[in-house]
Amino acid sequence: MTDVNAALRRTRIGDRETAQGETERAVRRGAWPVAETPAGRTTGWWGMLLFICTEAAMFACFIASYYYLRFSTDGSWPPVSDKLPHRIVPGIGTGVLVLSCLPMFAAVRTSRKSRAVTFPLLVLVTLAGTTFVVLQAVDYMQEYPSSTPSKDAYGSLLFTLTGLHAFHVGIGVLMMLLVLGGQLARGFKKPQAGATRVMAMYWYFLAVLAVAIYITVYLTPYIM
Amino acid sequence: MRRCRRLLAGVAATLSVEALVAGCDRAPSTLSPVGPKSDFTTWAWWGLFAVAAFVCCIIIGLTVLAGVVRRRSTKVKTGEGRTFVMVCGVILPGIVFAGVFALSVGGLVATSEPSHKPAMTVDVVGHQWWWEFHYQGTSAVTANELHVPVGTSVELRLRTHDVIHSFWIPQVMPKMDLLPRRINKTWLSVDHPGTYRGECAEYCGVQHAHMDFALVAQSQSDFRSWLQRQEQDAATPTTTSEQQGMQFFTSASCSTCHTIRGTSAHGQLGPDLTHVGSRPSLAAGLIPNDVGHMSGWIANSQAVKPGNLMPPQHLSPSDLHDVVAYLQSLK
Amino acid sequence: MTQLTPPRTGTDADIETLSTVADSLEASTRYDVLPERGAAEATVGAALDAEWEEEPGLWGFITTVNHKRIGRRYLVTAGFFFMLAGINALVMRTQLAGPNNSIISPEIYDQLFTMHGTMMIFFFATPFNSGFGNFFLPLMIGTRDMAFPRLNALSYWIFLFSGIFMFTGEAMRVAPDAGWFAYVPLSNEYSPQLNLDFYSLGLLFLAVSSTVGAMNLVITFLKMRAPGMSLNRVPPFVWGIVTQSFMLVFALPPLDLANLMLFLDRRLGMRFFDTAKGGDAVLWQHLFWLFGHPDVYIIVLPAMGIVSSIIPTFSRRSILAYPYVVLATVATGIISFGVWVHHMFAVGLSDVSLTFFSAATLTISVPAGIQMFAWLGTMWRGRVVLSPAMLYAMSFIITFVIGGVTGVMFAVVPFDQQVTDSYFVVAHFHYVLFGGAVMPMLGGLFYWWPKLTGRMTSHKGGVISAVLIFVGFQVTFFPMHIQGLLGMPRRIYTYPAGYGWGTYNLIETIGAYVLAFGFLWTLFVFAQSLLSGPVAPDDPWGGNTLEWATGSPPKAYNFPVIPTVHSLNPLWDGRTLQSMVDHRHDDQRTMTEVHRTLRTSELDGRIERVMSMPGETVQPLLVAAFLTMTVCFLLADIMLAAAVAVGLMGLVIAWWMWNRPEIDEPAP
């Protein structure tokens, strides 16, 4: 904090020479590091937003490819018609991931005030993410004998699309552990609200994606 | 010195449109069309070219002049110039583009369906790196040689045996791709008898450069008699050499890849050789079909067309002589 | 050497005029150091120098996160790849000089043209733009570094390693050989060697670099503009780079997905493209061109931005119809995602989709027309100064308009089907890409060389370079139009005599050598400038944008005092430079302690807070090195080692995230 204070001492807010009008001066007052509320979005926030954009574009193309191949296939889908995908286990996984958005949301809301509450909430979210990955693995064991990634395009799509998503959830869990580790190591002193907020964006994205993929991979074969 | 002269000739040819047209009679030029489809694209080209040349002249002229005609006064004009940009950059091009779009839609209407119902259908199969033509409703199968009657539309059903190819006869029809597990339907029609160069236009591997075919447009009667000959089984060998050649062909590895109808050779990988003696060229238009070239091709086709799928054949000179004699007899 | 001086005076009432026109062309005064910058440096320069000084030697080289060093590296590396890919083309042109040549084998020829396309598109054009973007975007918007300096270093290292990876394939003679668009099934089951694994892995590898680099540029633009630089005061070049970066964020995913599928198909036996097992070959084409068409504009838009920088400076007036130029840039970026099927007109799709994409193709020509006339209008309403950079900009206009009109022709579906995959299309896209990107880039090099290196180039040498390259280009590529109309398909390693193709091919080969000589000459001009060129002043051309307010080359901190931007042409308005003097005691603008810069609001450029920046670190190089190892192990099919390398990379990333000053936290 010393450098900030030193800087503050030397700052001349409202310097006649630098006057640029009321607005700018007011903003500048509010924008100095010790301000009450942060002004504007952080670069980290934008970074996560763009990252989500590029990921969303890729999954959108992947889901579109699923339907493209599905509708350019004559005959039944899945090709082995009586082997429809198992919807219960991945359904539970998707449900858990979607519900984990609630503690995530609560964590963001509390992160600026009480980090003692934030921590257990984030632990809960991490556990939910882990559960999702485990349930996805369980589903693979169910699917495996009747469809494999190299048997036909259906199998390739099923395993790769869900696998890529589960991989992202796994990354999310690791990032969450890093945030948790940071909170532990810094003794809840150094602010983590920014990291929590950015993490939450990613988590909501994973949850929305999980629903889209669940509907595409596990439900549409039943109705189309 | 000769190169130099060729270069000068080339420059001259480039500069003079007349020389261009006169000097390239033999080229499979899209600008000398012989069928309704290429008629349209040629006509569209000259129209587009005129507009494009006009636009280029104006913009290039304005650019060069802006550099050459420099203002004497140091004053430059202020102002935004939005109206200028709006008119020249949006409204004028918009009018031109509307015309181009009309041309595009008109072209699609004009070329997607023939004016008369197709009289016959040919199945075109692309292979690495040759073409196979099946005449529907007959047993005729040819390689790298497509015969059609003049003045009637012919339906083509394009498919590929392996990778993607593209079927293009510059003087007759624009391209259509051959895709795995799909059949693309198109048509062609030729106005004048003659032989026209067809090419593969989609990169398809090492010998993409040598995947040509000949489109032979004939009068109705010539075409009919040609088709009748092609429908017949292979000619029976007459001389001893030819008989031995046939013997060798059917018993050796040749028959695992090639078919000769009327014999026990039923291979499917290579071209059908039932009437190979009647073809003007070998190896998808690469070499002329005569005894010497054919012998060389059989002995070591890799030296002629590196990478092609026919392995070198280690034949004794007498066997080679017999096989070539036999194949040449299959008119 | 042309030395120009912009106006240095002006009252508030004159701002409007002064900010659009630099008309004191004959003014005799010129400054080695701008007086305003001099004053600011005198006040805080010493403190900033001490803080921003970089470690010398090798360690400094591998740990730097300075955007200018990284930007220069991008330019040098991409320029080197350009040379290699150009040599590939020269060998091909030699082979094609006469009919039935057999200088190289068909296998090698196929690798050469595939590598030529792939390297030029992915490893030269895009990264070269990134080089300009990296170096000049922070300078033009008045900040001290990129938003994520370490990520910036990472994207450079990955770019370098992936380029080396690709050329290793070529050196081992197993370079990709299925064309730069690598259509399946030729690139799949018909290519059993490593060739296409180099392609799919190499492009996935590079995509990491392009994606993070693009995000970095966008966020730098959004959050780091100098106070007062609202969106309507952002230079067109920055808009070009930002639009390009936005496009990369959305265009690379389909390519990545396609390459991922290709890799899985080839290596793990998956069936995405296997038509016998429910896959589809056309899916590859859709995914590829969904990336591929936007990529044309990814390459061309920043280059057009360079032109929009050069032309105002050397026409001595602000760009005409600035809002239209910006809107045209952004509109091009958006529309470009809706035209991909015009690369597939011969695939046999329905007439409805052909008609739609024909119309879309015409629509995307409109924004290009807007920019074209904005440049012409700027030149005509200004006073043109024929510097080498300006000559390149004019070569660009001439060449690009020819590529543009042939592009419009491709909207006519039957005509497209007639000339696509012939030499006509080869001519067309070289007019668009060489004319639309390489010429502006060379112009940009001449324009910004003083800023990049601190030296001036020879005026005469530059003019000769522009003329040689213009002539060489036209001689090489113009005859290809005719050749295509004469029915010569592209991608053939040789052609028969007697079709009238030989003459054109010979002319083109001669042109290619002229072009190559032009590049050698240009290289010589630059080398001569580095060795013995005169030292460059801060603002040699009397430029209009903020980069000219820094030193030549800029100090590590760029701006001793972050200025307040007052107009679109801050160096001509008279007040922006003055703000550097006025604020020189304002610690919020000088930020002499630690590495810091200002963070401002996205739309209006209002100050939000001071943010601290990371210093030198070896983390980016380590991540890139482990990623390289991963890719190599994947290529060699040693999965366990690849997994270990990924794990190590994860550890370094964790270390990196642990201490992340760039995600600045709201205060307690």
Side-chain angles (χ1 to χ4, degrees):
Chain A
M1 291 311 275
T2 47
D3 55 327
V4 171
N5 289 332
L8 254 184
R9 274 199 303 280
R10 276 184 280 114
T11 313
R12 290 185 283 170
I13 293 169
D15 190 331
R16 291 282 162 199
E17 285 174 53
T18 67
Q20 296 296 337
E22 277 309 315
T23 335
E24 200 167 306
R25 222 178 300 149
V27 168
R28 192 182 310 155
R29 266 199 302 278
W32 197 232
V34 289
E36 277 296 303
T37 49
R41 312 237 179 252
T42 62
T43 50
W45 188 90
W46 279 105
M48 184 49 85
L49 185 73
L50 285 179
F51 180 65
I52 289 172
C53 282
T54 191
E55 293 276 78
M58 192 187 64
F59 278 102
C61 290
F62 213 148
I63 291 172
S65 303
Y66 183 95
Y67 289 112
Y68 183 90
L69 291 179
R70 190 252 171 281
F71 288 116
S72 57
T73 301
D74 307 322
S76 68
W77 185 266
V80 185
S81 53
D82 55 338
K83 293 291 181 191
L84 285 163
H86 299 78
R87 7 173 209 190
I88 307 297
V89 173
I92 295 170
T94 306
V96 168
L97 197 61
V98 170
L99 285 177
S100 74
C101 291
L102 292 174
M104 192 75 239
F105 182 71
V108 173
R109 294 302 291 269
T110 55
S111 63
R112 267 185 219 132
K113 299 176 196 114
S114 156
R115 266 172 293 280
V117 182
T118 312
F119 190 81
L121 284 172
L122 290 181
V123 171
L124 203 61
V125 175
T126 314
L127 286 176
T130 318
T131 311
F132 177 86
V133 177
V134 170
L135 286 178
Q136 190 68 58
V138 171
D139 177 56
Y140 287 165
M141 285 188 280
Q142 289 180 330
E143 304 285 350
Y144 190 70
S146 58
S147 61
T148 72
S150 56
K151 194 171 179 184
D152 45 36
Y154 168 79
S156 306
L157 284 165
L158 188 152
F159 282 92
T160 317
L161 182 49
T162 56
L164 201 62
H165 176 249
F167 175 73
H168 278 79
V169 177
I171 299 276
V173 168
L174 289 178
M175 279 161 60
M176 201 66 98
L177 289 176
L178 207 66
V179 173
L180 289 174
Q183 297 211 346
L184 279 180
R186 286 155 197 175
F188 303 96
K189 277 191 189 120
K190 204 172 175 209
Q192 287 285 316
T196 311
R197 188 160 80 140
V198 166
M199 196 56 231
M201 292 165 71
Y202 187 57
W203 205 259
Y204 302 151
F205 165 67
L206 291 175
V208 171
L209 199 56
V211 174
I213 290 175
Y214 179 70
I215 292 172
T216 303
V217 174
Y218 294 102
L219 292 188
T220 58
Y222 284 88
I223 56 171
M224 290 193 295
Chain B
M1 200 54 214
R2 193 187 300 160
R3 280 219 153 167
C4 213
R5 219 172 289 153
R6 267 169 61 193
L7 170 67
L8 287 176
V11 173
T14 320
L15 294 176
S16 148
V17 177
E18 270 167 74
L20 173 85
V21 175
C24 301
D25 264 352
R26 295 193 48 213
S29 168
T30 60
L31 304 182
S32 41
V34 289
K37 283 173 130 182
S38 286
D39 275 346
F40 175 82
T41 58
T42 309
W43 179 79
W45 154 253
W46 287 117
L48 290 166
F49 175 71
V51 178
F54 180 70
V55 172
C56 286
C57 284
I58 288 181
I59 291 188
I60 294 172
L62 282 176
T63 312
V64 173
L65 278 181
V68 176
V69 187
R70 287 205 257 162
R71 288 172 196 281
R72 289 184 188 281
S73 124
T74 56
K75 275 278 175 219
V76 307
K77 287 189 185 170
T78 56
E80 271 285 88
R82 292 192 200 181
T83 318
F84 167 74
V85 173
M86 198 40 128
V87 171
C88 294
V90 180
I91 296 174
L92 294 182
I95 295 167
V96 176
F97 292 162
V100 176
F101 185 60
L103 185 67
S104 178
V105 175
L108 265 174
V109 172
T111 58
S112 62
E113 295 291 335
S115 49
H116 303 289
K117 207 172 163 297
M120 58 179 280
T121 301
V122 179
D123 280 307
V124 179
V125 188
H127 295 261
Q128 275 182 325
W129 293 272
W130 58 283
W131 300 88
E132 189 177 357
F133 302 102
H134 295 265
Y135 294 78
Q136 266 193 13
T138 75
S139 57
V141 180
T142 62
N144 306 320
E145 205 182 325
L146 171 60
H147 287 243
V148 294
V150 156
T152 52
S153 22
V154 177
E155 190 190 32
L156 301 172
R157 291 157 53 89
L158 310 172
R159 60 198 161 87
T160 174
H161 174 73
D162 36 52
V163 302
I164 297 173
H165 305 278
S166 192
F167 185 88
W168 186 29
I169 313 167
Q171 288 173 270
V172 177
M173 61 168 283
K175 291 166 204 75
M176 178 65 92
D177 289 353
L178 287 67
L179 297 158
R181 302 255 157 180
R182 286 194 190 193
I183 295 174
N184 270 341
K185 286 183 194 155
T186 184
W187 63 280
L188 63 77
S189 168
V190 189
D191 295 338
H192 306 290
T195 304
Y196 306 101
R197 182 183 160 96
E199 298 162 341
C200 174
E202 184 66 80
Y203 173 64
C204 54
V206 229
Q207 282 299 339
H208 167 57
H210 296 130
M211 190 170 161
D212 308 331
F213 62 94
L215 172 72
V216 182
Q218 297 166 304
S219 68
Q220 283 286 355
S221 56
D222 286 356
F223 174 74
R224 226 168 292 247
S225 56
W226 174 85
L227 192 61
Q228 249 165 17
R229 275 200 312 280
Q230 294 292 319
E231 278 191 279
Q232 286 160 8
D233 281 352
T236 346
T238 44
T239 68
T240 337
S241 171
E242 286 168 22
Q243 278 163 351
Q244 280 173 354
M246 174 178 164
Q247 195 67 37
F248 184 88
F249 191 95
T250 49
S251 58
S253 58
C254 311
S255 60
T256 54
C257 295
H258 295 282
T259 295
I260 296 178
R261 273 175 283 134
T263 73
S264 60
H266 291 298
Q268 293 294 321
L269 287 176
D272 183 308
L273 300 178
T274 310
H275 296 282
V276 67
S278 71
R279 290 181 198 150
S281 68
L282 292 174
L286 181 56
I287 47 174
N289 184 12
D290 53 37
V291 173
H293 281 96
M294 188 184 262
S295 310
W297 174 261
I298 294 172
N300 187 6
S301 64
Q302 296 301 324
V304 183
K305 190 171 170 179
N308 85 84
L309 302 181
M310 176 158 158
Q313 307 294 320
H314 303 290
L315 274 66
S316 70
S318 66
D319 285 344
L320 185 59
H321 176 262
D322 292 345
V323 167
V324 171
Y326 171 62
L327 291 175
Q328 289 289 333
S329 76
L330 300 175
K331 296 292 182 191
Chain C
M1 186 169 63
T2 321
Q3 293 276 354
L4 306 166
T5 311
R8 287 279 172 258
T9 54
T11 63
D12 279 16
D14 295 332
I15 289 286
E16 197 52 37
T17 320
L18 279 171
S19 73
T20 48
V21 179
D23 56 358
S24 60
L25 188 62
E26 323 304 335
S28 53
T29 18
R30 76 180 163 81
Y31 308 95
D32 282 342
V33 175
L34 293 178
E36 294 86 348
R37 183 173 81 87
E41 295 279 5
T43 316
V44 288
L48 283 165
D49 270 333
E51 189 59 57
W52 286 76
E53 193 192 356
E54 291 188 273
E55 202 158 328
L58 183 65
W59 186 248
F61 183 83
I62 62 175
T63 58
T64 185
V65 293
N66 178 336
H67 75 99
K68 294 173 293 296
R69 291 179 81 177
I70 293 167
R72 273 197 297 259
R73 277 177 205 179
Y74 256 111
L75 293 175
V76 171
T77 314
F80 181 69
F81 291 155
F82 174 80
M83 203 176 74
L84 292 181
I87 291 172
N88 283 356
L90 208 56
V91 177
M92 293 193 301
R93 281 287 6 136
T94 314
Q95 156 76 7
L96 291 175
N100 298 318
N101 263 353
S102 52
I103 297 167
I104 46 174
S105 71
E107 289 86 357
I108 294 295
Y109 185 89
D110 295 344
Q111 295 186 17
L112 287 179
F113 76 67
T114 304
M115 283 298 279
H116 173 71
T118 312
M119 299 311 288
M120 284 293 189
I121 298 271
F122 293 103
F123 291 84
F124 158 67
T126 318
F128 208 79
N129 282 328
S130 298
F132 280 126
N134 256 305
F135 195 100
F136 290 106
L137 187 134
L139 292 176
M140 277 189 165
I141 64 173
T143 187
R144 287 182 172 167
D145 207 324
M146 301 281 280
F148 301 99
R150 294 184 292 179
L151 218 49
N152 201 25
L154 175 69
S155 67
Y156 170 73
W157 290 119
I158 295 179
F159 159 60
L160 174 70
F161 294 151
S162 56
I164 294 173
F165 177 79
M166 291 295 277
F167 276 112
T168 311
E170 189 168 356
M172 290 161 62
R173 304 218 165 181
V174 283
D177 58 355
W180 85 277
F181 39 86
Y183 276 2
V184 292
L186 182 63
S187 59
N188 196 0
E189 61 260 37
Y190 289 89
S191 177
Q193 307 300 321
L194 281 181
N195 307 50
L196 267 296
D197 294 323
F198 272 106
Y199 178 90
S200 58
L201 280 174
L203 292 191
L204 279 171
F205 189 11
L206 176 73
V208 179
S209 157
S210 310
T211 306
V212 295
M215 291 178 187
N216 208 347
L217 285 163
V218 170
I219 297 164
T220 309
F221 155 80
L222 285 172
K223 297 303 300 184
M224 319 268 292
R225 301 196 306 275
M229 187 179 273
S230 46
L231 287 186
N232 57 343
R233 291 176 183 170
V234 172
F237 170 75
V238 176
W239 279 111
I241 286 283
V242 167
T243 310
Q244 173 219 29
S245 302
F246 257 115
M247 289 170 73
L248 276 170
V249 166
F250 291 98
L252 280 171
L255 178 75
D256 295 343
L257 179 65
N259 274 313
L260 177 71
M261 287 174 167
L262 181 63
F263 183 76
L264 293 174
D265 264 22
R266 290 174 55 84
R267 284 305 187 77
L268 300 183
M270 294 205 188
R271 309 288 184 178
F272 292 109
F273 303 123
D274 185 346
T275 38
K277 297 280 184 184
D280 192 283
V282 180
L283 175 61
W284 167 272
Q285 300 189 13
H286 281 297
L287 289 174
F288 187 89
W289 290 117
L290 188 50
F291 153 81
H293 199 85
D295 193 55
V296 174
Y297 295 95
I298 283 170
I299 291 167
V300 169
L301 284 180
M304 286 173 150
I306 297 175
V307 173
S308 298
S309 296
I310 294 173
I311 286 185
T313 298
F314 294 110
S315 300
R316 316 305 302 150
R317 61 150 293 138
S318 180
I319 190 148
L320 212 65
Y322 165 81
Y324 290 176
V325 172
V326 173
L327 284 175
T329 306
V330 175
T332 309
I334 294 167
I335 303 171
S336 71
F337 283 91
V339 295
W340 81 92
V341 167
H342 75 208
H343 296 267
M344 300 164 65
F345 277 170
V347 166
L349 304 174
S350 72
D351 282 359
V352 177
S353 70
L354 298 188
T355 315
F356 174 83
F357 284 97
S358 165
T361 305
L362 290 166
T363 313
I364 202 165
S365 311
V366 173
I370 293 177
Q371 301 207 53
M372 193 63 86
F373 282 98
W375 295 319
L376 284 175
T378 310
M379 285 160 67
W380 274 94
R381 288 191 166 208
R383 261 174 55 83
V384 171
V385 180
L386 290 176
S387 69
M390 190 64 187
L391 285 176
Y392 269 115
M394 289 161 77
S395 309
F396 153 80
I397 294 181
I398 294 171
T399 313
F400 192 71
V401 73
I402 298 175
V405 293
T406 51
V408 169
M409 293 176 186
F410 282 106
V412 179
V413 176
F415 183 73
D416 173 287
Q417 292 166 339
Q418 181 70 300
V419 293
T420 187
D421 276 319
S422 78
Y423 263 80
F424 191 89
V425 83
V426 178
H428 160 71
F429 68 70
H430 279 95
Y431 268 80
V432 170
L433 293 177
F434 194 105
V438 180
M439 283 177 179
M441 285 169 182
L442 287 166
L445 277 182
F446 277 101
Y447 179 53
W448 282 316
W449 190 258
K451 206 49 58 184
L452 285 162
T453 64
R455 300 289 183 140
M456 300 301 291
T457 49
S458 144
H459 178 79
K460 203 191 274 173
V463 171
I464 294 173
S465 145
V467 171
L468 274 176
I469 285 184
F470 182 77
V471 172
F473 173 81
Q474 304 295 343
V475 175
T476 311
F477 292 100
F478 193 80
M480 288 189 187
H481 291 112
I482 305 167
Q483 212 177 335
L485 289 171
L486 292 181
M488 179 162 166
R490 68 193 276 210
R491 295 176 162 179
I492 52 175
Y493 74 95
T494 188
Y495 54 91
Y499 287 129
W501 297 344
T503 319
Y504 297 106
N505 274 298
L506 184 63
I507 296 171
E508 287 155 18
T509 303
I510 293 166
Y513 278 92
V514 174
L515 195 54
F517 177 72
F519 279 110
L520 270 183
W521 173 265
T522 310
L523 208 58
F524 165 76
V525 172
F526 287 140
Q528 189 256 347
S529 153
L530 277 184
L531 294 175
S532 59
V535 173
D538 283 1
D539 183 16
W541 319 119
N544 57 341
T545 36
L546 272 183
E547 76 272 28
W548 303 110
T550 62
S552 289
K555 301 269 200 171
Y557 48 83
N558 298 348
F559 297 90
V561 177
I562 305 288
T564 302
V565 173
H566 288 275
S567 73
L568 175 60
N569 303 292
L571 259 71
W572 293 349
D573 65 26
R575 282 213 317 208
T576 303
L577 279 173
Q578 188 56 38
S579 72
M580 285 170 63
V581 182
D582 298 342
H583 286 286
R584 69 188 188 278
H585 297 295
D586 180 350
D587 200 57
Q588 195 190 20
R589 295 298 183 90
T590 58
M591 298 169 287
T592 47
E593 284 176 38
V594 208
H595 284 201
R596 291 177 159 193
T597 190
L598 278 182
R599 199 186 84 192
T600 52
S601 68
E602 293 85 352
L603 300 180
D604 298 334
R606 282 181 286 104
I607 299 175
E608 285 175 352
R609 57 186 293 147
V610 171
M611 63 186 264
S612 48
M613 313 288 284
E616 293 153 299
T617 163
V618 76
Q619 290 157 344
L621 180 62
L622 285 180
V623 173
F626 286 127
L627 187 60
T628 313
M629 283 163 65
T630 311
V631 171
C632 292
F633 288 133
L634 281 176
L635 181 78
D637 212 7
I638 312 172
M639 292 303 173
L640 191 67
V644 172
V646 169
L648 290 171
M649 186 171 77
L651 286 180
V652 181
I653 292 174
W655 172 28
W656 177 331
M657 303 287 282
W658 195 257
N659 184 8
R660 46 179 160 44
E662 60 253 63
I663 302 180
D664 49 356
E665 304 286 347

